[in-house]
Amino acid sequence: MENRMPAHRLFLIGSEASSAMSPGLWSPVLEQLGNSWTYEAWDVPAGQDMSGVRAAMLEADVVAANVTMPHKQWAARTADAATEQVRLSGASNLLVRDGRRLLAHNTDITAVAELLGGRHQRHALMLGAGGAARAALVALAGLADRITVADKDPLASRQLVDLATGLGMEAAAVAWAEARDHAPGASLIVNATPIGKGRSDEPAWGPAELSPDAFVYDFVYAGHTTATIAGARARGLPCADGWDHLRAQAAAMIPILGLAPETGALLGRALTDIRVES
């Protein structure tokens, strides 16, 4: 019988996967665990035929793949089975191979729920309406009274509004140009757009003043403090940045992948090293 190497490959699938931090976070952790797994970046442009990606995911040496923009909704659709969180959100950031099947998880939802700490939100302003925004919305189910959605794609905004309504929240979409008008009244501002990747970017909500009870959640991580997070800190507001989210969603993967308990501490140290180097 042919000898085959056990499954050992993990991927990050996204349009800019090779510039993301996840490979740099996971590779040293896997090396320290000594389990022979590898973590590779796989750049998959938006609009590409994804049938080849799915076929590659089913190869015998594949363990799992993280999925990032803009393919999180594809990941939910292509899965053969999914968690309730994926079913609700319509998005997945983790596909795990189980023989010839793909199982979809969403550790983004777990991360948002952890970092928001169960805090009630009277009004959440969602900037962006992609997979990250969907994860945040599901994490807010039962915790938010009202949602305002703004995205440059009106269809994506309407779909997020429909999701919020289905989860029992009052929701409305506004044009992107109107989003800033809603920022001062929000108790939660979620930046689920790329705004902040550039050093010259302004805060995602613009120059408006924010409510003193606002919490700012920024999905963007970069080699600098984003203007969104800097603006929140300058106002003395609680916040979670993209690095916080990266740590929390990675930690949520540990039990799913059956990794050793010490993986969490190793992830924390690796993330600290990356931030120092950045």
Side-chain angles (χ1 to χ4, degrees):
M1 182 179 293
E2 180 184 357
N3 289 323
R4 293 186 176 181
M5 181 177 293
H8 65 281
R9 301 174 73 195
L10 292 98
F11 295 96
L12 174 66
I13 297 170
S15 60
E16 298 181 8
S18 59
S19 62
M21 298 295 181
S22 292
L25 172 62
W26 276 104
S27 292
V29 170
L30 294 171
E31 183 177 354
Q32 290 173 73
L33 288 172
N35 64 2
S36 78
W37 285 5
T38 60
Y39 194 103
E40 308 167 35
W42 188 358
D43 289 324
V44 180
Q48 177 173 316
D49 178 9
M50 302 296 285
S51 58
V53 177
R54 176 182 166 84
M57 275 293 302
L58 292 172
E59 293 291 331
D61 61 353
V62 173
V63 177
N66 282 128
V67 183
T68 188
M69 294 175 60
H71 303 305
K72 292 182 180 182
Q73 289 170 269
W74 163 81
R77 293 193 303 269
T78 200
D80 300 290
T83 65
E84 179 67 6
Q85 289 182 321
V86 171
R87 188 191 68 77
L88 287 172
S89 66
S92 168
N93 73 324
L94 177 63
L95 290 172
V96 179
R97 186 182 67 82
D98 179 21
R100 298 296 298 173
R101 302 168 73 239
L102 295 178
L103 312 181
H105 300 263
N106 195 318
T107 63
D108 282 332
I109 297 173
T110 308
V112 175
E114 175 195 327
L115 293 169
L116 289 182
R119 182 170 177 249
H120 177 263
Q121 303 295 338
R122 53 181 174 72
H123 179 201
L125 175 61
M126 309 291 293
L127 302 173
R134 284 173 168 268
L137 196 60
V138 171
L140 286 168
L143 296 173
D145 296 331
R146 183 160 63 97
I147 306 291
T148 299
V149 179
D151 191 276
K152 293 182 179 180
D153 180 351
L155 175 59
S157 291
R158 288 196 297 273
Q159 290 173 338
L160 198 65
V161 167
D162 289 343
L163 175 58
T165 302
L167 292 171
M169 292 177 272
E170 178 187 342
V174 298
W176 182 256
E178 299 172 20
R180 297 178 175 187
D181 297 336
H182 294 265
S187 63
L188 173 65
I189 295 178
V190 177
N191 178 34
T193 77
I195 295 173
K197 285 187 176 293
R199 290 183 179 273
S200 61
D201 291 351
E202 64 179 355
W205 68 84
E209 284 303 316
L210 302 182
S211 172
D213 70 340
F215 188 106
V216 175
Y217 199 110
D218 188 4
F219 276 92
V220 174
Y221 59 84
H224 57 273
T225 300
T226 67
T228 297
I229 293 299
R233 290 173 178 167
R235 292 165 171 79
L237 300 176
C239 56
D241 66 10
W243 296 95
D244 297 322
H245 182 85
L246 182 62
R247 175 201 56 78
Q249 69 85 17
M253 291 169 55
I254 295 171
I256 296 171
L257 297 181
L259 294 169
E262 62 265 30
T263 306
L266 294 175
L267 282 168
R269 288 198 289 271
L271 189 57
T272 297
D273 291 343
I274 291 173
R275 296 192 73 165
V276 169
E277 293 172 0
S278 298

